Amino acid sequence: MELSLRPANEGDFAFCEVLCRSNMSRYLTAKDIAWEPSRFLASWAEFENLMILLDSQAVGTLRLLPEQAGLGLRDLQVGPEHQRKGLGSWAIRQAQAIAAGRGFTRLYLRVYEENPAAALYARLGFKVESVMAGTVHMVWELPPNQSFKPTLLRNAA
């Protein structure tokens, strides 16, 4: 099993939009939020979109956006058939390494309270900053002693 990242291209848009919409549908439905294709399209142009590859096959997406005080992990989606196999942990570690490698000391994300991924983020060192309207705002901070050693894997952005 070989994992890697590569920048997304226009041909990846449909895969990512369907994956994000599908994975998020139960949370959005529970909160009575409609999926907005135009909003996803706008974010596609704004975010850094990376493809998560398993043996060269696209199985997920990692979407980043520089923010004032750090790097925002704006979206992490893995296909349902590949979940609970360590790909999410690997992708988070890649995002941490990207943040550190670019000189950011903080990596931010938001997750719905009921999303089991919140436990994954906590295990990987993210701390809760706040909870607003059922959304948990979390941050990972580069250790002050610089003990975090970024190790991007092959083809990682």
Side-chain angles (χ1 to χ4, degrees), residues 135-156:
T135 301
V136 182
H137 297 249
M138 302 180 85
V139 63
W140 172 83
E141 295 189 69
L142 185 68
N145 62 3
Q146 303 296 313
S147 64
F148 179 79
K149 303 292 186 229
T151 54
L152 288 172
L153 299 182
R154 189 183 75 75
N155 294 334

Side-chain angles (χ1 to χ4, degrees), residues 8-65:
N9 57 50
E10 287 182 31
D12 297 316
F13 175 82
F15 170 85
C16 292
E17 197 266 347
V18 167
L19 178 62
C20 292
R21 181 172 21 102
S22 173
N23 281 0
M24 295 304 296
S25 66
R26 67 180 158 172
Y27 304 111
L28 297 176
T29 299
K31 296 184 179 307
D32 199 27
I33 299 171
W35 179 262
E36 297 179 36
S38 61
R39 185 173 176 191
F40 187 85
L41 179 60
S43 73
W44 186 261
E46 184 181 2
F47 296 174
E48 177 180 1
N49 304 290
L50 302 169
M51 301 303 296
I52 301 169
L53 306 176
L54 174 62
D55 297 329
S56 301
Q57 177 188 2
V59 296
T61 186
L62 177 66
R63 306 178 70 217
L64 306 170
L65 182 68

Side-chain angles (χ1 to χ4, degrees), residues 76-149:
L76 169 59
Q77 302 294 335
V78 174
E81 66 277 15
H82 299 288
Q83 293 176 6
R84 301 200 174 281
K85 296 180 180 177
L87 280 73
S89 295
W90 178 87
I92 292 292
R93 288 188 185 102
Q94 296 305 295
Q96 291 169 325
I98 290 168
R102 292 179 182 174
F104 292 106
T105 58
R106 299 172 70 122
L107 180 63
Y108 294 94
L109 62 80
R110 293 176 294 205
V111 62
Y112 290 125
E113 284 180 300
E114 63 273 19
N115 189 328
L120 166 67
Y121 304 140
R123 276 195 317 273
L124 294 175
F126 284 80
K127 306 288 184 221
V128 174
E129 277 200 321
S130 65
V131 179
M132 293 190 261
T135 301
V136 182
H137 297 249
M138 302 180 85
V139 63
W140 172 83
E141 295 189 69
L142 185 68
N145 62 3
Q146 303 296 313
S147 64
F148 179 79
K149 303 292 186 229

